[in-house]
Structure formats: structure tokens, C-alpha cells
């Protein structure tokens, strides 16, 4: 499934095999993507455009409304199960150990629920199962209060008791542990430097199910292509990343869905990078 020029480069390198995933890897688990026809950024809420909701400015103005929307999205994620592509990445990590790295834009938590390790999974846009104090109290990242139901009707508002659980002991609001549109990547919370460093040393970067609308993934792909390292893009539709791969010396675009391609691809990568029987 991989051309010789790509396979040879992977075999010759001792760098990490880095996967970069977007909403497309969870589409076959039943979670809408962001920019597809039923996408989260298109459907939104009763009164607000979704891209307005996912901002620090919106949270400062209407925390209860923003929380309601995130709890609905989290409910969609909690009712979904990992699919064959998520499971293939777990098998690959077991086999590759420290040579495996996963950078995900998804806040659905499905990679961790499937069994990938937190240490090798960089959740560069956060995780909707977690929250943080607006004032930055420790621990920085915390699980959502257990009293909040995991399933959430789209338009259901939080009652006073639920809102009270979303306060830190210091009195400040807890906020969703997600990167908002009017915020920047950083290393301590979102692993910005680590993800970029991974692209600088990767034996291969495998991009699955992302349209290419965000800056860190774009930089990672450009870095890998500029190094002439293997860049493998999996997506049923051409994207800016598939175009970069096709224009790059050791790039390849594998057109298809995540569950169609990723299980076979990880087997092929395992044989190339790790040798048979490892
Ligand atoms: N398998 C693989 N890819 C798929 C599948 C599938 N079954 N179904 C759809 N896709 C592809 C689409 O063709 C598209 O290229 O997944 C991609 C989804 O793109 P987006 O909806 O833009 O999602 P994503 O790229 O993850 O968005 C990135 O934008 O606003 C931010 O924080 C948000 O993390 C998100 C980021």
C-alpha cells in the first residue's frame, strides 16, 4: 500500500512514527466532524454560531450557555465508541513503544478510551472530559465533576446545583479544557513545542481525517514535507494536506476512510519501521 520510495525512507530512519488525527478518525464512531454538512461548527446552538461559542470572550459573557453547549458535545462523545482505526493505533503503540507518538486535535477522548497512553498522546486542542480553573489553580487539568450527567439533551440548561459544581474552590469558574478560537497553543497544557519537535524528527507523519484548518497541524505537515520525510495522508476527500503530500518527494495520499485504511496501514508501517515479529 506504500510506494517503495516511502517504504525505504521509513525503514532507514530511527525517528518516531507520528500520527496526527482530526475529527475524521472519529466520524465512523458517529461523532460529527467540524466542517462537514452536520458539523459542530455548522449546526451550533439555539442562539449562537458555534464559532462564536468556542471563544474565551463568549465564556466570559455567558459561561452557562457555553458550558451547556460543551456538555451536549461531550454527551455525543461519551455515547460513541472507538472504531477500528482507533484500535489499530492502540495495537501499533503496543508494538512500537517509544517510537510511537500520537498528536490529536480531537477533544472526544476516544484515543485514550481505546487504550493509547496519555504519555504518548498529545491532545493539542484539549479533552472535553476535563476542565481547568479560569484562575489557573492546581491541579491545572481536572476531570469534570462527577455530578454532571454524561448524556445531555442539546437545549437543556444547567440548573443552579450543576452550575455550582463548575466552580473551583477559589470561587472562580471552571472552564472546558479545550483550546478556543481566540487563544493560542502552548506547551504546558497543549504540548505545542513537543508536537512541533516530533515533526522535526519523525521517520514518518501519518495524517488521518483533518481538513487542514488549524495552524500547528499545518506547520507539522510543512516541516515534514520540507525535510523530505514521508508524509502519508488518509482522507476520503482531498485536503490541503493531501495536496502537500502529493507535491512532496516522499508523500502519499491514501484516499479512503479511516477504518478502511488505518488498520492495514499500521500493519505495513509496523513491518517497515519495526521489522517483522517485533
Ligand atoms: N475517515 C477519515 N477522514 C474523514 C472521514 C472518515 N470516515 N469522514 C470525514 N473525514 C475527513 C473530512 O474529509 C475532512 O477532511 O475529516 C476531515 C474533517 O475536517 P474538519 O471537520 O475540519 O475537522 P478537523 O480537521 O479535525 O478540525 C480541526 O478545527 O475548529 C477546530 O478545534 C477544531 O479540532 C478541530 C480543528
Amino acid at each position: 500500500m506504500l510506494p517503495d520510495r516511502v517504504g525505504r525512507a521509513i525503514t532507514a530512519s530511527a525517528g518516531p512514527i507520528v500520527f496526527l488525527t482530526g475529527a475524521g478518525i472519529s466520524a465512523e464512531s458517529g461523532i460529527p466532524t467540524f466542517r462537514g454538512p452536520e458539523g459542530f461548527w455548522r449546526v451550533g446552538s439555539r442562539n449562537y454560531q458555534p464559532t462564536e461559542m468556542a471563544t474565551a470572550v463568549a465564556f466570559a459573557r455567558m459561561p452557562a450557555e457555553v458550558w451547556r453547549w460543551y456538555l451536549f458535545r461531550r454527551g455525543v462523545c461519551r455515547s460513541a465508541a472507538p472504531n477500528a482505526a482507533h484500535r489499530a493505533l492502540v495495537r501499533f503503540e503496543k508494538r512500537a513503544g517509544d517510537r510511537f507518538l500520537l498528536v490529536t486535535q480531537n477533544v472526544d477522548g476516544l484515543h485514550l478510551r481505546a487504550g493509547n497512553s496519555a504519555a504518548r498522546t498529545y491532545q493539542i486542542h484539549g479533552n472535553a472530559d476535563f476542565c481547568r480553573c479560569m484562575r489557573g489553580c492546581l491541579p491545572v487539568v481536572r476531570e469534570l465533576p462527577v455530578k454532571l450527567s454524561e448524556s445531555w439533551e442539546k437545549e437543556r440548561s444547567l440548573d443552579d446545583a450543576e452550575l455550582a459544581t463548575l466552580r473551583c474552590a477559589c470561587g472562580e469558574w471552571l472552564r472546558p479544557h479545550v483550546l478556543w478560537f481566540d487563544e493560542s497553543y502552548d506547551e504546558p497544557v497543549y504540548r505545542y513545542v513537543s508536537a512541533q519537535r516530533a515533526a522535526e524528527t519523525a521517520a514518518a507523519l501519518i495524517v488521518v481525517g483533518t481538513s487542514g484548518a488549524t495552524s500547528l497541524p499545518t506547520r507539522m505537515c510543512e516541516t515534514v514535507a520540507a525535510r523530505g520525510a514521508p508524509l502519508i495522508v488518509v482522507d476520503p476527500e482531498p485536503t490541503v494536506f493531501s495536496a502537500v503530500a502529493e507535491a512532496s518527494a516522499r508523500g502519499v495520499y491514501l484516499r479512503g476512510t479511516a477504518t478502511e485504511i488505518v488498520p492495514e496501514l499500521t500493519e505495513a508501517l509496523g513491518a517497515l519501521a519495526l521489522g517483522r515479529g517485533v
Side-chain angles (χ1 to χ4, degrees), residues 133 135 137 142 167-172 174:
C133 171
R135 195 174 283 156
C137 291
R142 314 161 189 198
R167 293 278 184 177
C168 179
C170 76
E172 183 51 271
L174 297 171

Side-chain angles (χ1 to χ4, degrees), residues 118-119 121-124 186-196 216:
T121 303
Y122 299 167
Q123 300 178 108
I124 59 170
D186 67 17
E187 175 62 17
V189 177
Y190 298 114
R191 310 302 304 270
Y192 176 77
V193 177
S194 301
Q196 180 57 26
L216 175 56

